[in-house]
Amino acid sequence: MTSTQGARRGNLGVLTGALFALLWVAGGFAQDLTATDSSIAYPRPTDGAADVQKWFEANGSAAEANAALQILAGIALVVFAAVVANIIRSIGRSGAAASVAALGGTLSAALLLVGAAGGAGLGSDATASPEVAQALYQVTFWTGGPLHVAALGLLVVAAATGLGAVLPKWLKITGQVVGGLALLASLSGVSQVFVAFTLFGRYLGFVWLLVVGIMFVVKRSAPAGAPAAEARV
């Protein structure tokens, strides 16, 4: 049995990447659907404390629902990073790809969990103080936004590179590009221009994770005698 076939066997755990993406998106939908007062615009990072306090006072339960799903998403992301690191090691890839994938995924999940905790706090009585509401909101935005996405980009780049032996070339290159774009979100504090990469990196990263998960599921049962070139996912 070739190393690529062995990596594919039983690795349905890679679907936790898709689960992470779906849970995060579900959190956004849950927040929108359960918002008590949808007439109030969700605050932007540059909005004042009064605007932040106003939205979360009116829609605290919606923020808590979103935070709960983000916590589940963070857990799924930790599992995905561990699964990817194990697959990279199982196919005998040298270099730091496995370690970087594990580090990037763990860091990204940790930042998401911190952001979710801040969101849960915003849904509680902590918003009674405008200053506390603003501080929690900034923590939630930066940890669950640009920093989380940049770390996710590190995971995607490492996964695309380390899994190069079992992914089509186009999917490997796409992952490296998408991950690179996500990494630029870390510069959001330098210029507003880079804030856009939080959006691009997040959703393009979600699509990449979904495609990789589907490819592993569809192609996991390649014939045992297939040569390595034909065993690519």
Side-chain angles (χ1 to χ4, degrees):
M1 178 179 293
T2 66
S3 60
T4 55
Q5 292 160 351
R8 192 180 299 112
R9 183 184 296 274
N11 278 310
L12 292 182
V14 77
L15 285 174
T16 51
L19 179 61
F20 149 70
L22 292 174
L23 285 168
W24 192 96
V25 172
F29 277 113
Q31 179 168 282
D32 291 340
L33 292 174
T34 60
T36 305
D37 190 348
S38 58
S39 66
I40 305 174
Y42 188 81
R44 296 168 298 180
T46 54
D47 287 344
D51 294 323
V52 173
Q53 183 186 36
K54 182 179 180 181
W55 192 92
F56 284 98
E57 278 186 337
N59 302 293
S61 60
E64 290 174 337
N66 185 18
L69 286 166
Q70 285 193 2
I71 289 171
L72 294 176
I75 295 171
L77 184 56
V78 170
V79 175
F80 174 74
V83 169
V84 166
N86 286 335
I87 295 175
I88 294 173
R89 294 187 185 101
S90 73
I91 61 179
R93 296 287 290 181
S94 60
S99 297
V100 173
L103 174 63
T106 302
L107 179 60
S108 184
L111 288 165
L112 181 60
L113 291 174
V114 171
L122 283 164
S124 70
D125 293 337
T127 54
S129 166
E131 293 75 18
V132 172
Q134 178 72 315
L136 280 176
Y137 178 70
Q138 291 299 321
V139 169
T140 299
F141 170 75
W142 286 102
T143 57
L147 298 179
H148 157 67
V149 170
L152 179 64
L154 186 64
L155 165 62
V156 171
V157 168
T161 302
L163 297 175
V166 294
L167 292 178
K169 186 175 181 180
W170 67 267
L171 192 55
K172 172 185 175 181
I173 294 173
T174 300
Q176 292 170 333
V177 171
V178 168
L181 292 175
L183 283 167
L184 292 175
S186 63
L187 300 175
S188 296
V190 177
S191 171
Q192 286 291 314
V193 173
F194 293 102
V195 174
F197 290 100
T198 298
L199 180 65
F200 298 149
R202 188 192 303 281
Y203 288 104
L204 291 177
F206 285 173
V207 172
W208 191 83
L209 292 174
L210 286 167
V211 172
V212 168
I214 291 170
M215 296 290 277
F216 265 84
V217 170
V218 171
K219 298 294 186 179
R220 72 183 188 280
S221 57
E230 296 177 6
R232 285 181 177 272
V233 173

